[in-house]
Amino acid sequence: MAEEKPAASLEKSAKYDISVNRAWCKNCRICISFCPTGVYTENELGGPIISFPEKCNNCQLCVIRCPDFAITVKPKEESKRTHNGP
Amino acid sequence: MSKDIKEYLRLDKFPHIWCPGCGHGIILQAVLRAIDRLQLDRDNIAVVSGIGCSSRAAGYVDFNTLHTTHGRALTFATGIKLAKPELTVIVLTGDGDCSAIGGNHLIHAARRNIDLNVIVFNNSIYGMTGGQYSPTTPTTDYAATAPYGNIDNAFDLCELTRAAGASYVARSTTFHAAQIPLLVEKGIKNKGFSFIDIITACPIYYGRMNKMPDAVDMLKTQRDNARNIKQWDIMTAEEKQGKFVIGELYNKPAPEYTDAYRQLREKTHAL
């Protein structure tokens, strides 16, 4: 899987789009250890799983501390939120 | 709205060759953020690097780039700046590259106060060749060539360049990654020799030989040992043991070399 995304059930409650580029990530665990709110948990290789995307407050610390340019955190697009609206 | 920093990268070269947990990627990203904040024209930037892990950075960024010989990044950069003073010249170099092999070039570039922006990826080790100790390896630390502990005293590169005549000197760490773009931005704006020393982690060689084989441990060490300049000023000599200062350490504009050269040329042409 190229992009690590939060599980579909969790994604609805999250305010921000978090994704980890699996092809670039080298499992250094910096994002997991230094996330102030604990969004990530560790998988069996030491790489991040986006377990609690709803906790993200868009501080961008994981993005700027990622040595591999693998993480992106963006506010969710408006069009997605109103997708099922009237 | 600023651009996505991935637009400044040569994406076909990714993922990069740096080891898991190596802080060089953090510094490269921070430098790109600084360039993005300044909204500089990509064609007016020249990135020069020497040899070493850190110097691979020039290959990953989409500007005018020059990957030069070992220790000679500053000499090539001096040539570029004198030939084309309108360019913003950024030198990405390692601690060994700039302070050991190119040590003489560093002090003389600082002495001239030529408008170069030097960003040192200071990981206290020669990573690419297998972990030999460098001039910035702290005393008593271990390296491949110091299996019983290093007996050399380490260089304080910021004090060195400040004494040699640099007009802007700053230091940060990869833990304080949010601070680096601010320092680099001020360095680029400064007309004169700007020296920014970034303490970074080499968990594979330096870390493994000094009981910190993990990138997270190395970043925690940086966090615990770094002291802000304001706090540093009121600390006693005892408290300063084993700690280092971060932030903007020196900023005093001084006459710049390419300006002086242009004035000299105008004066001699008028004769």
Side-chain angles (χ1 to χ4, degrees), chain B residues 172-240:
Chain B
S172 190
T173 77
T174 47
F175 177 81
H176 303 86
Q179 187 191 26
I180 307 173
L182 308 173
L183 298 174
V184 175
E185 194 183 337
K186 281 191 104 171
I188 292 175
K189 278 185 187 162
N190 172 48
K191 183 101 174 120
F193 192 80
S194 310
F195 184 85
I196 299 139
D197 180 23
I198 315 281
I199 311 287
T200 169
C202 177
I204 301 297
Y205 284 113
Y206 180 82
R208 211 178 49 192
M209 286 184 258
N210 291 287
K211 297 180 183 153
M212 291 180 282
D214 197 274
V216 177
D217 290 341
M218 292 216 69
L219 284 193
K220 282 181 181 164
T221 311
Q222 291 171 11
R223 179 190 66 190
D224 297 340
N225 290 339
R227 290 289 179 273
N228 191 285
I229 177 94
K230 284 175 190 159
Q231 196 183 352
W232 186 260
D233 288 341
I234 55 167
M235 278 166 72
T236 61
E238 250 175 46
E239 288 170 330
K240 286 179 184 174

Side-chain angles (χ1 to χ4, degrees), chain A residues 23-24 26 28-30 33-34 60-61 63-69 71-72, chain B residues 6 9 11 14-16 18 20-22 25-26 29 33 175 178 214 216 219:
Chain A
W24 290 10
K26 290 176 186 154
C28 67
R29 303 192 292 116
I30 288 176
S33 304
F34 293 107
Q60 297 277 331
L61 280 175
V63 180
I64 63 170
R65 287 215 187 102
C66 177
D68 298 291
F69 297 83
I71 307 177
T72 47
Chain B
K6 288 198 181 74
L9 296 173
L11 290 173
F14 272 76
H16 56 59
W18 291 319
C22 172
I26 304 176
Q29 190 186 143
R33 280 181 199 282
F175 177 81
D214 197 274
V216 177
L219 284 193

Side-chain angles (χ1 to χ4, degrees), chain B residues 2-250:
Chain B
S2 61
K3 276 190 245 177
D4 183 2
I5 52 149
K6 288 198 181 74
E7 286 181 31
Y8 295 101
L9 296 173
R10 291 176 181 152
L11 290 173
D12 55 323
K13 300 262 196 282
F14 272 76
H16 56 59
I17 61 147
W18 291 319
C19 305
C22 172
H24 289 4
I26 304 176
I27 306 176
L28 181 62
Q29 190 186 143
V31 172
L32 294 177
R33 280 181 199 282
I35 291 169
D36 188 49
R37 286 164 69 114
L38 288 166
Q39 293 291 311
L40 297 174
D41 181 8
R42 204 183 285 208
D43 293 332
N44 282 332
I45 298 175
V47 176
V48 187
S49 70
I51 296 292
C53 294
S54 55
S55 301
R56 296 296 294 243
Y60 297 124
V61 289
D62 194 10
F63 304 109
N64 303 300
T65 58
L66 187 64
H67 197 165
T68 71
T69 51
H70 202 5
R72 275 52 172 169
L74 278 165
T75 57
F76 283 85
T78 304
I80 292 171
K81 189 67 191 177
L82 279 174
K84 285 189 176 287
E86 70 276 13
L87 291 183
T88 302
V89 183
I90 298 170
V91 180
L92 304 177
T93 177
D95 52 317
D97 193 48
C98 99
S99 67
I101 299 97
N104 224 343
H105 304 306
L106 176 71
I107 56 174
H108 289 287
R111 174 175 65 90
R112 293 183 182 120
N113 194 29
I114 183 164
D115 188 11
L116 302 176
N117 307 291
V118 184
I119 291 130
V120 179
F121 295 46
N122 188 350
N123 58 3
S124 310
I125 206 111
Y126 290 97
M128 189 171 269
T129 48
Q132 292 82 5
Y133 65 83
S134 84
T136 56
T137 308
T139 317
T140 71
D141 275 9
Y142 297 93
T145 45
Y148 305 108
N150 180 23
I151 56 168
D152 296 7
N153 286 324
F155 257 146
D156 185 334
L157 294 178
C158 290
E159 290 294 324
L160 177 78
T161 45
R162 180 177 163 175
S167 53
Y168 180 87
V169 178
R171 185 190 279 133
S172 190
T173 77
T174 47
F175 177 81
H176 303 86
Q179 187 191 26
I180 307 173
L182 308 173
L183 298 174
V184 175
E185 194 183 337
K186 281 191 104 171
I188 292 175
K189 278 185 187 162
N190 172 48
K191 183 101 174 120
F193 192 80
S194 310
F195 184 85
I196 299 139
D197 180 23
I198 315 281
I199 311 287
T200 169
C202 177
I204 301 297
Y205 284 113
Y206 180 82
R208 211 178 49 192
M209 286 184 258
N210 291 287
K211 297 180 183 153
M212 291 180 282
D214 197 274
V216 177
D217 290 341
M218 292 216 69
L219 284 193
K220 282 181 181 164
T221 311
Q222 291 171 11
R223 179 190 66 190
D224 297 340
N225 290 339
R227 290 289 179 273
N228 191 285
I229 177 94
K230 284 175 190 159
Q231 196 183 352
W232 186 260
D233 288 341
I234 55 167
M235 278 166 72
T236 61
E238 250 175 46
E239 288 170 330
K240 286 179 184 174
Q241 279 296 325
K243 306 283 189 285
F244 56 86
V245 57
I246 60 166
E248 189 187 300
L249 307 183
Y250 186 69

Side-chain angles (χ1 to χ4, degrees), chain B residues 260-271:
Chain B
Y261 184 66
R262 184 176 48 77
Q263 282 164 15
L264 177 73
R265 220 171 39 192
E266 282 165 5
K267 204 168 88 182
T268 48
H269 280 207
L271 287 175

Side-chain angles (χ1 to χ4, degrees), chain A residues 20-61:
Chain A
V20 180
N21 186 346
R22 278 261 137 246
W24 290 10
C25 174
K26 290 176 186 154
N27 306 335
C28 67
R29 303 192 292 116
I30 288 176
C31 52
I32 305 167
S33 304
F34 293 107
C35 176
T37 60
V39 169
Y40 304 100
T41 54
E42 198 175 321
N43 68 17
E44 65 276 13
L45 295 169
I49 306 170
I50 306 163
S51 300
F52 305 102
E54 73 281 1
K55 286 187 182 175
C56 179
N57 59 8
N58 198 20
C59 72
Q60 297 277 331
L61 280 175

